[in-house]
Amino acid sequence: MTRLRQLTTWVSLIALVTLVVAPCAPAAAQKAAPPSQKAAPAEKFAGKTVRIGVIQPLTGRAGEFGVHSRWGAELAAQHLNAAGGILGAKVDLEVADDASDVAQTTALLRKQAADSSIVAVVAPTFSTAFIAGAEVAPTVGIVYISAGSTVEWRGEFNPWTFRVVPPASTYVPKFFESLTKLYAQKQWKTTGMMTASDHGSMYAIGVTLRKLLPQFGLQLTVDLSHKQGDTDFSAAVTETLAKNPHIMVINQVQNDAALFMKQARARGYKGAFVASSTAIQDPRIYELSGGAAEGMVTVATFLVDNPDPMVQKFVKDYKAKTNQDVQTNAAAGYDAVMLIADAIKRAGSITDRAAVRNALGKTDGFKAIMGSYKYADKGDNLTPTAYVVTLAKDGWKLVK
């Protein structure tokens, strides 16, 4: 197994993104919450129940992602209850399926917000649905934190809206900077790119990369696109083979990416595959691609081999609960619930939504399984962690 070493932690400071190096550390090594963030007495609400909404695409085109976010959220509730709940109150999740339909997302959010016993909502991993719900959240006054959306945000976040996973603009530039250094001996000069044009996050990454690639000495020689769910990539493979770029950048979800890579390898493409999105880090992609994805390099915001005891407990318990390997969306669902729980503790209330919102907005240094969290009152985590990983037969491995 590749020796673990956390490669990068990207910290946003006064709108600047800076690369730093930090080792994986157990939760006990993290700094204590400042006095202003100390929690209420542990058993303040013993015998009561705190309710958290979970709206995810459990069916429809985003269903394969949403079920993992749900399972991660459920495991967080299980762990919290095993430890005595939140301020002594038992955690109960109100889970709803929006069926990958934005109209259902907003209707379900209004329904859950109308229930005064629900203090916060874990929002959809599907970015389109998350954005639709974000417009509703301030009108109904409820915390709305996504367990997976990474689309580039237009304008400012409203005060009730938060995200767990960083957007592409945060990690893609640093990922390619690290990538070209780590693989300098390969002398990559040319690149192709395949983008899911109807996927908001993937399309945005493609726009970013067209401007970014020349900065790292990479000439874009093949620029292709497709629609999600396409199965025949023969024309795209023909164009790829004609130019034969050193690397092929994949801006696709895993099923589409697996098919494209499988067809490209079958016809003789020998270049390296590089996935630009955290969405590709699915442990099934080796099997889905028939082994064609072996050696692919990507960016990961969660590392199953992280030796942190908290991470390893999550991985072990998740596999026991679901009989499946951990996906990033599962880790994000877990952290979303843990962030809400931490905010409730510091707010000292299991029903006061405004107090919980204010506490969540002041989060600074909270440690969960995807790293450390800090919010500037709303929006994205300012201290996201990310790794460069490569795919082997037995899973993802950290690149030294």
Side-chain angles (χ1 to χ4, degrees), residues 27 90 113 266 268 373:
K90 178 183 176 181
Y373 290 88

Side-chain angles (χ1 to χ4, degrees), residues 223 225 242 363 375:
D223 193 355
S225 65
T363 299
Y375 291 103

Side-chain angles (χ1 to χ4, degrees), residues 300-374:
T301 51
F302 177 73
L303 196 65
V304 295
D305 288 336
N306 186 333
D308 185 328
M310 179 168 55
V311 174
Q312 288 309 302
K313 176 174 174 55
F314 166 78
V315 172
K316 178 183 177 181
D317 291 352
Y318 188 83
K319 289 182 178 180
K321 172 183 172 64
T322 67
N323 198 32
Q324 294 194 37
D325 291 327
V326 176
Q327 290 191 19
T328 300
N329 286 310
Y334 185 93
D335 277 10
V337 171
M338 289 302 189
L339 281 159
I340 292 170
D342 176 66
I344 291 171
K345 290 176 184 176
R346 289 184 284 109
S349 173
I350 60 174
T351 56
D352 188 336
R353 294 173 178 175
V356 172
R357 192 229 72 83
N358 292 340
L360 182 57
K362 294 177 181 177
T363 299
D364 185 358
F366 178 70
K367 175 69 167 55
I369 62 172
M370 292 184 74
S372 181
Y373 290 88
K374 178 179 180 178

Side-chain angles (χ1 to χ4, degrees), residues 161-200:
T161 303
F162 300 81
R163 293 196 293 192
V164 171
V165 183
S169 61
T170 302
Y171 64 78
V172 167
K174 293 301 180 182
F175 168 57
F176 273 86
E177 179 182 344
S178 299
L179 180 76
T180 51
K181 289 178 180 178
L182 289 165
Y183 289 90
Q185 75 279 8
K186 299 288 187 180
Q187 297 185 332
W188 291 331
K189 299 297 181 184
T190 58
T191 181
M193 187 161 66
M194 170 60 86
T195 303
S197 60
D198 60 341
H199 187 291

Side-chain angles (χ1 to χ4, degrees), residues 11-18 382:
V11 182
S12 174
L13 178 60
I14 315 179
L16 297 177
V17 179
T18 308
L382 300 182

